[in-house]
Amino acid sequence: MTKTSMTVNGKAVSAETEGRTLLSAYLREGLGLTGTHIGCDTSQCGACVVHVDGKAVKSCSVFAQDVEGADVTTIEGMANADGSLGTIQQAFQDHHGLQCGFCTPGMVMSSAALLAENPTPTEAEVRHYLEGNICRCTGYHNIVKAVMAASGQAVPAE
Amino acid sequence: MHSFELVKPKTLADAVAALADGAQALSGGQTLLPTMKQRLADPGTLVSLTGIPELQGVCQGDAGIIIGGATPHAVVAREAAKYYPGLAALAGQIGDPAVRNRGTIGGSIANNDPSACYPAAVLGSGATIVTNTREIAADDYFLGMFETALEEGEIVTAVKFPVPQKAAYAKFVQPASRFALVGAFVAQFADGVRVAITGASNNGVFRWPEAEAALSASFTPEALKGLTLPADDMIADLHGSAEYRAHLCGVMTKRAVMAAG
Amino acid sequence: MPKDGGIGDSTKRREDIRFLTGKGRYTDDINLRGQAYAYFLRSEVANGRINGIDAKAALAMPGVLAVLTGADFAGMGGNPAGWLINSRNGEPMKEPKRPVLAHGKVRHVGDAYAVVIAETYQQARDAAAAVEADITELPAVVDMAQALADSTNLVHDEIGTNQCFDWGWIEDNRAAVEEAFKNAPHVTTLELTNNRLVPNAMEPRASLADYDAGTGDYKLYTTSQNPHLHRLLIAAFVMGMPENKLTVIAPDVGGGFGSKIYHYGEEAAVLHAAKVLNRPVKWVAERSESFLSDAHGRDHVTKIELATTKDGQFLALRSETMANVGAYLSNFSTATPTFLHGTLMAGPYKTPLVYVNVKTVFTNTAPVDAYRGAGRPEATFSIERIIDKCARELGLDQAEIRRKNLLTPDQFPYTTPVGLVYDTGNYQATLDKMTELADLAGFEARRAESAKRGKLRGLGLSTWIEACGIAPSNLVGVLGARVGLFDAATVRVNATGNISVMTGAHSHGQGHETVFAQIVAEQLGIPATSVEIVHGDTSKIPFGMGSYGSRSLAVAGSAMTKAVDKIIAKGKKIAAHMLEASEDDIEFKDGNFSVAGTDKAKSFGEIAFSAYVPHNYPLESLEPGLEETAFYDPGNFTYPAGAYACEVEVDPDTGKVEIAAFTCADDFGNVMNPMIVNGQVHGGVGQGIGQALLENTSYDENGQLLTGSFMDYAMPRADDVPFYKVDHSCNTPCTHNPLGVKGCGEAGAIGSPPAVVNAVIDALHRGGHTHVSHINMPVSPARVWAAINSK
Ligand SMILES: Cc1cc2nc3c(=O)[nH]c(=O)nc-3n(C[C@H](O)[C@H](O)[C@H](O)COP(=O)(O)OP(=O)(O)OC[C@H]3O[C@@H](n4cnc5c(N)ncnc54)[C@H](O)[C@@H]3O)c2cc1C
Ligand code: FES
Ligand code: FES
């Protein structure tokens, strides 16, 4: 066990790790940030997406020690400073972009990465960008709507 | 996952030294981590290549572009676009955005998954694989499914791509994994056309000489008319028969030519 | 206009706030002091004899606390099937024991036979590799037809056959149906499979068990759609303890779709381990384990026949189905292919004669049970595919053949030839609505445009019906259910006027916390924010059968409104006392109790407060407190129905199918929150498209699962589906529950698969590939290409 430090949601943190400690485990077990979810063991579902140095990564597929010192943002760091929902989070609520909520943290983090890269994506671009995030509940309709709405674009009424 | 020690050298020399004792390289981890979760790999020591500046980046060289061995797909997709759009577009089609932010060219071609995308670009461009000890021509590098010319402990430090006049990659995705069920990379150089196919063959990525000859004569989709590949050595699985894959090789090559314009 | 936050309002979901900020609390997010971790050893062979398990080396490894095997649980009871089905010859179904952990034999790849408990999960996994299991592999029974034909190779030796039962519905109709087929002017026949699916709720199954050595009480946090059902199964059937010694808590649950209805061995195993070790034990499935051990869905092989007149009037329908139950009977596995399938084979049509035969088959594969829609998607797929084929054979338009045979509004209540009574509906209305929304008139122009791009465009329809609101206890009892399927709610009005509603339904994505509060708020004329919905904890909730079968609102919601009615009645008593009036003169409206014809009134809050400060109550006639419980058992199923249209584009060079448009016009009865109802339909349609185009569960002949991860099992992704058009304006309220609701959770998954496949076949026909009459799901690119080139 060694101590591994990084910045998570703006705070300097550290926790004990082994070589095999995944970033996801570091966040969930080491720091108690259980908003980051684990939905698969083949790096495909995206429930675990967080930002590492501003980029979306699957935290289940990165070793904590390999990103020592990094600046990490998780779903817990996405609300506004006053605690109210951030723009993307609010759009997910407004457009019913979540049901069971399990894929949601990853969806929000991936959507945030998309909008940072491409502030007004087309419907097709949103769908394509979310290729690595699986949702079993929503049929994606309202997720795509929420992301487009968060970017200030018109969305279908239903 | 088996227990191991992770080391993160800052220079190539230190990485080479660390790998000397039977340790395994870790680049983006987008192949290695899922494998380790299944306990199919037990490396003892992992040597991370992600903290070594000399393995990073895309730059222009004398005879094309040079991509550092630990450069993530997303960086290639972004930064190679101005030099070699066909290659950048291929990198932008690998996996999903989060995978592209971690996965690297060196890891991809060291792994040489028969359904991976990069091998098609590397072979289709006639690139050169640079390692810590030598340079290997693409034609001598890919030796079959998951097999390459790399020796134990040898690191891919860079890949040098000559830049063709036109090139494009057409990928038909396997519906579950989104890897290539069949992917075709075509590149037109002044001295001829190269065609490399991934996803299809039991022997991994391969060149299609008949298509190359036909396209060298006329770089049009019509030139491929009537050309077929035998199904004998094609992969047959749940996602498609050997015949289907052989058929797709033709369709995807044609679409790559059309995309290359 | 619905009231803000009231019935019919698209109120935003309150639960979203916690889910969107990472504050949801799923089972794996809960940690108890001193908890140990479990890792299950699972069979690598489909069929094998366990000769011995040597755990010595594993026990010596760091952190290892215990290794338990099947032998440690041999004294416990079996995990039962909830429905007793009799064969046509009157014999009861075969019911082999399903033990907590495999003992003596392993029966499918993934069958758990031992569990290692250690201080950390990694230590448990490390030690598992050191457990030496001596298992002799036996030949596997995988193919259903072969399983029925071969009586020498058995999944369960003790029952002497691989057939669980051979069921006829309705057996007395069989002769008449056969006669009708003999004399029919036209008969259409189709053999099809309903592909096996892995539910893949995004949250894998998980359990955290706790034992209190002082009181002997167990507590289980688990991923359940129905904590009371879990408590009943674990306490009464498996572990043999009084129910009051076990609390089951289903906290936030990340989707279920049926797979989390059932009790699984891991749950009892960690409970027992918690007692043995006297410390909490946690287990969380890895996705690979979910693929191997969650109950799968569907897996029918069916021959269906439709007898008609030359102009397409349905005369009779019959089907023969082999349904896979896998290696063990899961809790609903015997009901799904029978009473949730056979009873629906009349569809929304006037077909006068129907007969259904179902043989259920044991195989060395994971258990198969109800998955979103459960039986009804299988029925709908068979019916809607055969109608499509029939229309093509007779040269009839797909909408016309349906319209001609749909029941008409004047026929309700309608007794079907397969034993159900449809209370109400208007199937023409939804068909018309869909025709308009999907712009069927403009299809030809769209087809021509697709053709210009080299794509074959096709149109597929499906007019479906389901029976849901799974309850009427008397009815399901007649049909073999071993439990009642009513539901319950307690409404507790606190002294300060806010309300806790304890409901027996469980929300794992459906938004009950919001919708149920809307209903109570509307009934009581108070703001929805004053109402809190409590679910998922057997220690807080009187009783409940949970959420599945689109039953939450129709059954548990009705119980809740009944309890609120009782609150209002009690409130009137209190008001009468406070206002010194007769109880009969008290009116309740908009949150106020008033004396009719006067301006004397008390607000709901005043009544509530008084109930808890009963200083001058006439205690012989008025009890203090304001809390009521109601149990509700409906008189019938509910019958949602709808009409779906799918347009696809097929790429003839690759066989790839793209969904170009999908339109749903549904009748769910009254709608409480349109936003949530739309979301349910979207999700169901997404899963239906997944079944139709992508999802394939494949075992090889040795019983190895070939599609054991997302690498090979294709889940629908955002770019596999379009924006859907959904509508539920054509509603005929349910006639027998207080809210007039029918249920919407499964609709999308029921109606969509045949619409997709019909569209693909239509595209191929229009494209000149008229030799293709059917393609089995998933209609993958490879299959479409092979079908096109099969001439
Ligand atoms: C969800 C998902 C989808 C994907 N989709 C695609 C796809 O569509 N197409 C595609 O091509 N790939 C796909 N991949 C694979 C991805 O591109 C990987 O990033 C890549 O194959 C491996 O690169 P890596 O840097 O992650 O390597 P790692 O996983 O770190 O390593 C892979 C192997 O290469 C060795 N290695 C790594 N770097 C070097 C080096 N510089 N020199 C020598 N040996 C080295 C390692 O020891 C290991 O054996 C996908 C992966 C995931 C998780
Ligand atoms: S948990 Fe990370 S991709 Fe599934
Ligand atoms: S909301 Fe349940 S998986 Fe997406």
Side-chain angles (χ1 to χ4, degrees):
Chain A
M1 286 281 190
T2 53
K3 238 186 173 46
T4 300
S5 304
M6 49 189 101
T7 304
V8 176
N9 300 328
K11 275 202 242 71
V13 295
S14 68
E16 296 285 327
T17 59
E18 291 183 83
R20 61 182 169 177
T21 305
L22 300 170
L23 176 59
S24 52
Y26 178 87
L27 296 168
R28 288 182 54 82
E29 287 147 39
L31 304 179
L33 295 172
T34 54
T36 296
H37 294 157
I38 300 301
C40 75
D41 46 14
T42 51
S43 309
Q44 275 161 315
C45 75
C48 63
V49 169
V50 301
H51 295 180
V52 174
D53 295 328
K55 297 199 170 58
V57 305
K58 293 179 168 174
S59 63
C60 73
S61 302
V62 180
F63 293 116
Q65 292 181 3
D66 205 18
V67 291
E68 164 123 53
D71 190 349
V72 175
T73 308
T74 70
I75 188 70
E76 287 91 345
M78 293 300 281
N80 297 325
D82 66 355
S84 61
L85 296 182
T87 309
I88 297 171
Q89 291 168 313
Q90 189 60 57
F92 268 70
Q93 188 195 26
D94 291 347
H95 296 278
H96 190 27
L98 62 153
Q99 292 184 21
C100 78
F102 200 78
C103 72
T104 308
M107 285 290 179
V108 170
M109 298 313 289
S110 284
S111 303
L114 164 62
L115 297 185
E117 278 173 35
N118 179 358
T120 50
T122 62
E123 178 199 338
E125 284 169 344
V126 175
R127 291 186 184 277
H128 184 62
Y129 197 92
L130 295 178
E131 183 179 11
N133 291 80
I134 302 178
C135 174
R136 194 52 149 170
C137 297
T138 62
Y140 301 102
H141 185 106
N142 286 337
I143 291 176
V144 177
K145 238 172 96 171
V147 178
M148 296 196 67
S151 71
Q153 302 186 73
V155 293
E158 279 313 322
Chain B
M1 197 176 289
H2 295 289
S3 176
F4 62 86
E5 194 194 340
L6 187 115
V7 297
K8 198 169 171 184
K10 293 205 167 52
T11 66
L12 179 59
D14 288 350
V16 171
L19 282 165
D21 327 313
Q24 188 172 358
L26 166 69
S27 194
Q30 302 301 289
T31 292
L32 192 52
L33 263 85
T35 315
M36 290 176 67
K37 285 183 193 170
Q38 288 177 280
R39 300 201 164 215
L40 295 177
D42 187 3
T45 301
L46 277 189
V47 181
S48 169
L49 305 181
T50 59
I52 303 171
E54 44 202 301
L55 296 183
Q56 295 288 339
V58 177
C59 67
Q60 202 159 16
D62 312 333
I65 63 166
I66 304 168
I67 298 178
T71 311
H73 310 328
V75 173
V76 176
R78 202 170 52 237
E79 293 179 10
K82 57 178 178 288
Y83 307 117
Y84 190 169
L87 177 68
L90 173 140
Q93 287 179 61
I94 298 174
D96 56 62
V99 167
R100 292 195 287 275
N101 281 333
R102 292 295 299 176
T104 67
I105 188 167
S108 177
I109 64 169
N111 190 51
N112 192 20
D113 187 303
S115 306
C117 301
Y118 260 134
V122 172
L123 187 62
S125 305
T128 303
I129 292 90
V130 184
T131 76
N132 54 313
T133 56
R134 57 186 169 145
E135 298 203 349
I136 311 167
D139 285 316
D140 303 324
Y141 176 85
F142 298 104
L143 302 182
M145 260 196 197
F146 298 108
E147 274 185 56
T148 69
L150 291 178
E151 305 280 347
E152 189 79 24
E154 191 172 359
I155 303 178
V156 176
T157 56
V159 184
K160 292 201 236 172
F161 288 89
V163 177
Q165 295 157 338
K166 288 176 181 176
Y169 177 58
K171 176 181 181 182
F172 191 80
V173 301
Q174 192 259 57
S177 71
R178 306 290 185 113
F179 276 69
L181 188 72
V182 168
F185 191 91
V186 299
Q188 184 184 34
F189 291 92
D191 59 351
V193 173
R194 289 175 72 106
V195 176
I197 308 273
T198 189
S201 168
N202 280 317
N203 302 317
V205 65
F206 66 93
R207 285 174 68 182
W208 186 3
E210 292 80 4
E212 291 183 350
L215 291 170
S216 297
S218 157
F219 195 71
T220 59
E222 294 73 39
L224 295 165
K225 217 171 163 136
L227 282 190
T228 54
L229 276 163
D232 309 349
D233 267 338
M234 296 287 163
I235 299 171
D237 63 14
L238 280 176
H239 306 288
S241 62
E243 292 71 26
Y244 181 57
R245 279 192 169 78
H247 165 76
L248 281 183
C249 292
V251 176
M252 290 298 122
T253 305
K254 199 166 107 192
R255 290 188 181 178
V257 172
M258 277 157 48
Chain C
M1 265 299 273
K3 274 188 226 162
D4 243 12
I7 287 179
D9 181 48
S10 282
T11 304
K12 291 175 202 168
R13 301 197 329 165
R14 52 176 70 177
E15 43 272 80
D16 288 358
I17 306 293
R18 66 175 189 273
F19 295 143
L20 281 164
T21 52
K23 297 194 188 81
R25 202 159 164 266
Y26 301 85
T27 300
D28 188 25
D29 301 340
I30 299 168
N31 294 298
L32 300 177
R33 190 137 54 133
Q35 80 192 10
Y37 295 81
Y39 178 78
F40 286 86
L41 284 117
R42 298 181 184 277
S43 178
E44 290 172 6
V45 300
N47 191 9
R49 191 176 311 103
I50 305 174
N51 305 314
I53 298 170
D54 182 352
K56 259 196 252 55
L59 283 166
M61 291 187 53
V64 176
L65 301 167
V67 178
L68 304 176
T69 68
D72 293 292
F73 297 90
M76 286 192 187
N79 184 3
W83 293 59
L84 174 67
I85 307 293
N86 290 327
S87 281
R88 296 196 286 139
N89 62 10
E91 259 181 47
M93 67 186 193
K94 299 284 193 286
E95 258 185 294
K97 180 177 175 183
R98 184 180 185 191
V100 174
L101 291 180
H103 186 46
K105 251 182 130 183
V106 282
R107 294 188 170 85
H108 65 92
V109 173
D111 201 0
Y113 59 84
V115 57
V116 181
I117 323 274
E119 296 287 349
T120 71
Y121 182 69
Q122 292 292 2
Q123 287 172 335
R125 262 208 91 159
D126 289 343
V131 174
E132 282 177 35
D134 175 8
I135 296 177
T136 308
E137 183 169 4
L138 302 170
V141 181
V142 179
D143 178 73
M144 283 196 275
Q146 238 169 312
L148 290 179
D150 182 357
S151 60
T152 59
N153 191 15
L154 298 177
V155 178
H156 295 275
D157 303 309
E158 68 277 16
I159 59 173
T161 167
N162 287 320
Q163 180 174 290
C164 178
F165 56 76
D166 172 3
W167 180 77
W169 193 253
I170 294 175
E171 200 55 25
D172 290 346
N173 295 350
R174 185 188 187 114
V177 171
E178 272 169 18
E179 195 58 29
F181 268 91
K182 257 187 231 141
N183 303 323
H186 186 85
V187 173
T188 305
T189 304
L190 183 60
E191 290 183 29
L192 50 84
T193 65
N194 204 284
N195 45 327
R196 185 177 179 120
L197 304 175
V198 181
N200 278 322
M202 290 318 296
E203 180 203 19
R205 285 194 292 120
S207 284
L208 170 59
D210 194 16
Y211 178 71
D212 182 330
T215 60
D217 290 343
Y218 292 86
K219 191 184 271 188
L220 179 69
Y221 297 86
T222 192
T223 47
S224 170
Q225 300 177 217
N226 32 238
H228 284 88
L229 194 56
H230 267 91
R231 186 181 66 171
L232 179 74
L233 290 164
I234 295 170
F237 290 87
V238 178
M239 295 183 73
M241 62 167 115
E243 266 177 278
N244 57 358
K245 288 304 207 189
L246 174 62
T247 296
V248 177
I249 298 176
D252 286 328
V253 173
F257 315 111
S259 66
K260 293 171 183 167
I261 298 174
Y262 325 115
H263 165 50
Y264 296 86
E266 293 90 351
E267 297 150 8
V270 292
L271 279 168
H272 182 63
K275 180 178 181 181
V276 171
L277 297 170
N278 194 20
R279 54 191 284 192
V281 178
K282 184 188 243 188
W283 168 72
V284 181
E286 298 185 5
R287 178 63 55 186
S288 318
E289 294 183 271
S290 310
F291 270 100
L292 295 175
S293 68
D294 287 5
H296 293 176
R298 319 277 193 258
D299 206 353
H300 285 194
V301 174
T302 295
K303 178 183 176 193
I304 176 146
E305 294 169 286
L306 178 64
T308 62
T309 61
K310 289 280 181 214
D311 61 356
Q313 206 78 50
F314 302 166
L315 300 173
L317 179 127
R318 71 179 165 199
S319 67
E320 263 176 68
T321 288
M322 283 186 295
N324 206 336
V325 289
Y328 302 100
L329 293 182
S330 173
N331 305 132
F332 279 29
S333 62
T334 52
T336 303
T338 54
F339 292 111
L340 297 176
H341 162 248
T343 54
L344 268 301
M345 288 299 283
Y349 305 108
K350 294 183 259 199
T351 323
L353 291 160
V354 177
Y355 175 76
V356 180
N357 174 245
V358 178
K359 295 183 177 71
T360 43
V361 189
F362 288 107
T363 57
N364 291 119
T365 64
V368 181
D369 205 327
Y371 165 69
R372 198 171 197 167
R376 289 147 291 169
E378 293 90 318
T380 304
F381 187 71
S382 297
I383 299 169
E384 295 302 302
R385 282 292 300 127
I386 192 85
I387 291 175
D388 196 66
K389 184 161 185 247
C390 172
R392 220 171 281 291
E393 287 173 2
L394 296 175
L396 295 172
D397 174 75
Q398 340 178 19
E400 269 336 292
I401 192 170
R402 289 179 167 83
R403 197 178 299 278
K404 183 178 272 189
N405 288 284
L406 285 175
L407 289 162
T408 50
D410 55 307
Q411 286 180 284
F412 296 98
Y414 174 79
T415 304
T416 73
V418 274
L420 295 180
V421 182
Y422 299 166
D423 60 338
T424 176
N426 187 344
Y427 310 142
Q428 281 76 13
T430 43
L431 180 55
D432 290 345
K433 189 78 197 175
M434 176 272 278
T435 304
E436 170 204 326
L437 285 177
D439 181 26
L440 295 195
F443 174 76
E444 190 45 44
R446 294 190 293 276
R447 194 197 61 75
E449 190 278 325
S450 299
K452 276 196 209 134
R453 289 181 284 110
K455 298 284 169 66
L456 311 178
R457 198 175 185 103
L459 170 68
L461 308 184
S462 143
T463 42
W464 63 274
I465 186 172
E466 64 157 323
C468 67
I470 300 297
S473 295
N474 57 8
L475 192 53
V476 296
V478 172
L479 301 179
R482 287 164 160 164
V483 290
L485 282 169
F486 56 89
D487 224 288
T490 294
V491 175
R492 177 177 301 153
V493 181
N494 299 310
T496 49
N498 54 48
I499 294 177
S500 306
V501 177
M502 276 62 75
T503 171
H506 184 273
S507 184
H508 33 280
Q510 299 90 335
H512 297 169
E513 292 169 32
T514 300
V515 182
F516 283 24
Q518 285 177 254
I519 296 168
V520 173
E522 172 101 21
Q523 259 184 299
L524 291 177
I526 56 172
T529 45
S530 307
V531 183
E532 186 176 50
I533 306 299
V534 179
H535 60 107
D537 184 338
T538 60
S539 67
K540 293 182 180 161
I541 292 143
F543 195 75
M545 295 305 288
S547 291
Y548 44 82
S550 307
R551 69 188 300 282
S552 303
L553 199 52
V555 190
S558 297
M560 180 179 75
T561 60
K562 267 186 72 179
V564 174
D565 285 342
K566 290 188 185 177
I567 292 285
I568 294 171
K570 171 88 182 273
K572 284 183 177 174
K573 271 197 172 142
I574 299 172
H577 163 68
M578 290 173 75
L579 298 166
E580 296 174 333
S582 148
E583 200 184 318
D584 296 339
D585 292 338
I586 303 291
E587 286 176 346
F588 179 69
K589 202 167 166 254
D590 296 333
N592 284 306
F593 293 88
S594 58
V595 182
T598 73
D599 59 359
K600 291 206 290 180
K602 290 282 175 196
S603 71
F604 184 77
E606 289 172 290
I607 297 293
F609 187 73
S610 144
Y612 291 92
V613 190
H615 288 162
N616 58 357
Y617 269 29
L619 293 171
E620 355 29 270
S621 57
L622 187 59
E623 283 177 20
L626 194 51
E627 169 166 333
E628 297 289 348
T629 294
F631 289 77
Y632 176 78
D633 206 334
N636 193 352
F637 295 113
T638 62
Y639 300 97
Y644 288 6
C646 176
E647 280 184 36
V648 298
E649 275 191 350
V650 178
D651 178 344
D653 292 336
T654 62
K656 186 163 170 54
V657 176
E658 272 186 34
I659 308 283
F662 204 102
T663 308
C664 309
D666 290 305
D667 174 2
F668 298 132
N670 293 334
V671 167
M672 303 291 113
N673 181 321
M675 173 192 83
I676 287 182
V677 167
N678 290 347
Q680 289 293 309
V681 177
H682 298 153
V685 171
Q687 278 172 314
I689 291 173
Q691 166 162 32
L693 295 183
L694 296 164
E695 296 178 43
N696 185 16
T697 310
S698 183
Y699 284 94
D700 72 9
E701 75 264 19
N702 298 317
Q704 292 294 335
L705 182 60
L706 300 176
T707 48
S709 81
F710 294 143
M711 291 293 280
D712 286 303
Y713 188 90
M715 293 285 280
R717 317 268 183 132
D719 60 0
D720 289 316
V721 295
F723 277 134
Y724 321 102
K725 261 192 214 160
V726 300
D727 174 271
H728 38 72
S729 62
C730 308
N731 57 18
T732 59
C734 171
T735 58
H736 57 78
N737 64 41
L739 295 166
V741 295
K742 294 183 173 177
C744 63
E746 296 162 295
I750 294 171
S752 58
V756 175
V757 178
N758 287 346
V760 174
I761 302 298
D762 185 60
L764 296 186
H765 275 254
R766 291 180 197 262
H769 306 289
T770 52
H771 63 287
V772 183
S773 60
H774 181 68
I775 301 173
N776 273 326
M777 300 187 289
V779 180
S780 64
R783 286 185 181 173
V784 173
W785 180 80
I788 290 176
N789 293 288
S790 64
K791 242 196 314 210

